[in-house]
Amino acid sequence: MAYLNDAERKQISDAVGAAELTTAGEIVTVLADRSDGYSDVALWWAVGASFTAMSLFAALPTPFLDLYDALIGGWSHEWTTGELASMTIALGLITFIAVLAIQQWQALKFWMIPNPVKTARCHAQAIKHFKVGAERRTHGRTGVLIYLSMSEHRAEIVADDSIAELVNAEVWGEAMGDMLSHIRRGHIADGMAAGVRDVGFVLSQHFPRGEFDENELPDRLIEV
């Protein structure tokens, strides 16, 4: 899914280029549609709902059996042990399939994912992108990655060790706040550009650009 047009992509790339004019640091930007498919979470919801339905049937079978009798015309009969067992299994299977099916609606699926799981998966994906695209890929180990995951509504700023030792996490929190204030209003490019400028300012305080510094990483936005 494309969230930006070419002009907005250029806006972010230009912000990266401008920020790096004052620092030896390198800034990498990543925009992701989502950080994970969450298939395991969907399965756990389906399994949990299935066992809940079977447990309810085992504890309170009468309402279920009365409903079934009504659906087949109101004729009741004595249920055998085998029929009850079959009914329990069928109810669990139907519930499992139904819960999996409704989670094909992506908006509902992401609503059902617990927030701590979203945060953990986004952080893990940001670290993965950082290791591939920025970590220790600069001469002074001064890479910073700005990661934005749209479906989870999460953002991460990950920095090389040499930066993390000098810059307090609260400083990145301020940059994150500036970025998200724009993104919450639907201005994704403005938000990422603001985050880049804030990160560039912080880097320029600790890692000013030297006379012979070169641009070691691409300025373009990475979209995944």
Side-chain angles (χ1 to χ4, degrees), residues 21-35:
L21 290 176
T22 61
T23 177
E26 294 285 338
I27 302 171
V28 177
T29 54
V30 177
L31 176 64
D33 175 50
R34 63 186 61 191
S35 293

Side-chain angles (χ1 to χ4, degrees), residues 90-146:
L91 180 61
L93 181 60
I94 292 170
T95 303
F96 180 85
I97 294 172
V99 173
L100 274 185
I102 64 173
Q103 290 182 90
Q104 296 304 305
W105 181 23
Q106 295 301 302
L108 177 62
K109 180 179 181 178
F110 274 85
W111 180 81
M112 293 173 66
I113 299 168
N115 285 330
V117 174
K118 291 179 184 178
T119 300
R121 300 285 170 91
C122 285
H123 180 70
Q125 195 68 5
I127 295 295
K128 177 181 176 180
H129 282 289
F130 177 71
K131 288 181 179 295
V132 171
E135 186 179 35
R136 299 181 181 179
R137 293 189 61 188
T138 61
H139 178 70
R141 296 185 179 181
T142 53
V144 176
L145 180 135
I146 299 175

Side-chain angles (χ1 to χ4, degrees), residues 5-212:
N5 57 38
D6 289 341
E8 290 170 326
R9 294 184 183 98
K10 185 176 185 301
Q11 178 185 352
I12 296 171
S13 297
D14 289 346
V16 173
E20 290 179 352
L21 290 176
T22 61
T23 177
E26 294 285 338
I27 302 171
V28 177
T29 54
V30 177
L31 176 64
D33 175 50
R34 63 186 61 191
S35 293
D36 194 74
Y38 299 101
S39 298
D40 58 328
V41 179
L43 284 172
W44 278 114
W45 275 116
V47 169
S50 176
F51 274 96
T52 299
M54 290 190 292
S55 298
L56 286 174
F57 179 75
L60 301 168
T62 302
F64 292 93
L65 299 179
D66 288 346
L67 176 61
Y68 179 81
D69 288 337
L71 291 175
I72 62 172
W75 294 92
S76 61
H77 69 282
E78 291 295 326
W79 290 82
T80 67
T81 302
E83 288 175 330
L84 289 173
S86 297
M87 179 68 77
T88 303
I89 295 170
L91 180 61
L93 181 60
I94 292 170
T95 303
F96 180 85
I97 294 172
V99 173
L100 274 185
I102 64 173
Q103 290 182 90
Q104 296 304 305
W105 181 23
Q106 295 301 302
L108 177 62
K109 180 179 181 178
F110 274 85
W111 180 81
M112 293 173 66
I113 299 168
N115 285 330
V117 174
K118 291 179 184 178
T119 300
R121 300 285 170 91
C122 285
H123 180 70
Q125 195 68 5
I127 295 295
K128 177 181 176 180
H129 282 289
F130 177 71
K131 288 181 179 295
V132 171
E135 186 179 35
R136 299 181 181 179
R137 293 189 61 188
T138 61
H139 178 70
R141 296 185 179 181
T142 53
V144 176
L145 180 135
I146 299 175
Y147 177 81
L148 179 64
S149 189
M150 297 302 296
S151 295
E152 290 89 351
H153 296 171
R154 298 289 191 280
E156 294 273 346
I157 296 177
V158 186
D160 258 318
D161 291 339
S162 59
I163 298 174
E165 291 172 358
L166 297 175
V167 180
N168 193 290
E170 294 178 359
V171 175
W172 298 134
E174 294 174 4
M176 188 82 72
D178 287 342
M179 180 170 67
L180 295 181
S181 66
H182 292 281
I183 293 172
R184 289 190 185 100
R185 299 195 298 270
H187 304 151
I188 299 172
D190 291 340
M192 294 199 77
V196 167
R197 287 192 294 270
D198 287 353
V199 168
F201 176 78
V202 173
L203 290 176
S204 67
Q205 307 303 304
H206 299 281
F207 303 93
R209 187 177 181 86
E211 181 179 356
F212 301 105

